[in-house]
Amino acid sequence: MSKRAVVLLSGGLDSATTAAIALADGFDLYALSVDYGQRHRFELEASRRVAESLGVKRHVLVRVDLSAFGGSALTANMDVPKDRDEQAMSAGIPITYVPARNTVFLSLALGHAEVVGAADIFIGVNAVDYSGYPDCRREFIEQFERLANLATKAGVEGTLRHRIHTPLIDLTKAEIVRRGTELGVDYSLTHTCYDPCANGVSCGRCDACTLRLQGFADAGLQDPIEYQT
Ligand SMILES: [Zn+2]
């Protein structure tokens, strides 16, 4: 019988690569995307395209409106930083941090995993992209995995031993792009930009665009998506 895994799929480069790795590891994928009240819809559209291209068993979209809290440039009307260099990006936790987002996302993934009988959850967090997001660190993931096995019926009864997989956590963006390219990920389907223009074209200047472009450049590969600049 095939193994099932829940994969958090944002529509970005990292989650697409993570899903491809899970697929290559032999899992049947149950993709989960979250409409968390982000300012634009393009990443959710991208998540649908990526899920389809990977042939997932099911793709579920859950709505949890974190814009009710705001507190982030991704969920409130605040300016997204542009044209920052490596030093500026690595100085503190940026305004694009969404309060407790990965805790919320992993909790949703855990609930979905329990229902579909999946022990394994994949999330494309990365600890080396300068962001300093507290919920992208290995310590956080380890603690969440402990919680997962205390929090569910399946965990307590011992029918499932939950594991949180973070295959990208120690990879550079260039290594992520190379790995995904080897696995045949179609990066033209993904969306990364925090602040795209109205037709969805990426700005090329926010931290997410900067890191993505640098990753492709360092990998010696061409980024297939379009940019405004
Ligand atoms: Zn951008």
Side-chain angles (χ1 to χ4, degrees):
M1 194 185 130
S2 59
K3 304 174 290 179
R4 294 176 170 188
V6 170
V7 181
L8 283 160
L9 202 62
S10 70
L13 180 153
D14 290 345
S15 73
T17 308
T18 299
I21 290 170
L23 197 62
D25 286 349
F27 288 97
D28 281 343
L29 304 189
Y30 288 75
L32 178 63
S33 301
V34 186
D35 178 352
Y36 62 90
Q38 52 271 64
R39 296 199 314 187
H40 65 79
R41 314 294 302 167
F42 302 112
E43 34 170 59
L44 291 172
E45 288 164 19
S47 76
R48 190 156 20 84
R49 296 193 294 264
V50 170
E52 198 181 312
S53 78
L54 292 171
V56 304
K57 292 287 171 198
R58 192 186 301 167
H59 182 206
V60 173
L61 176 68
V62 175
R63 288 185 181 80
V64 180
D65 187 4
L66 298 180
S67 73
F69 306 148
S72 165
L74 302 191
T75 54
N77 192 18
M78 300 178 196
D79 288 341
V80 170
K82 298 278 172 77
D83 303 318
R84 304 205 301 164
D85 61 16
E86 202 176 298
Q87 197 184 358
M89 285 194 282
S90 58
I93 297 168
I95 191 71
T96 47
Y97 164 72
V98 178
R101 181 175 59 183
N102 284 346
T103 309
V104 173
F105 284 10
L106 280 171
S107 299
L108 296 170
L110 179 62
H112 191 38
E114 187 170 24
V115 173
V116 301
D120 298 272
I121 294 169
F122 282 75
I123 181 168
V125 294
N126 180 246
V128 293
D129 67 359
Y130 315 115
S131 68
Y133 291 164
D135 52 359
C136 289
R137 294 174 303 156
R138 189 179 292 285
E139 300 92 301
F140 164 71
I141 296 297
E142 285 169 1
Q143 292 297 324
F144 193 92
E145 185 174 284
R146 290 185 59 193
L147 176 137
N149 287 298
L150 293 171
T152 57
K153 177 172 183 282
V156 169
E157 292 179 350
T159 52
L160 290 178
R161 171 83 200 154
H162 290 292
R163 271 199 67 195
I164 314 295
H165 300 256
T166 57
L168 310 185
I169 200 159
D170 292 323
L171 301 187
T172 65
K173 201 60 101 183
E175 288 168 335
I176 293 168
V177 168
R178 269 196 221 106
R179 182 89 178 93
T181 301
E182 283 164 15
L183 292 171
V185 174
D186 181 354
Y187 288 118
S188 73
L189 305 179
T190 63
H191 178 94
T192 295
C193 182
Y194 289 149
D195 194 21
C197 64
N199 62 4
V201 175
S202 298
C203 76
R205 295 171 52 206
C206 68
D207 292 359
C209 282
T210 301
L211 291 168
R212 174 175 171 133
L213 284 164
Q214 192 61 51
F216 273 95
D218 291 347
L221 294 164
Q222 184 75 39
D223 187 346
I225 67 167
E226 205 186 323
Y227 289 91
Q228 292 167 50
T229 52

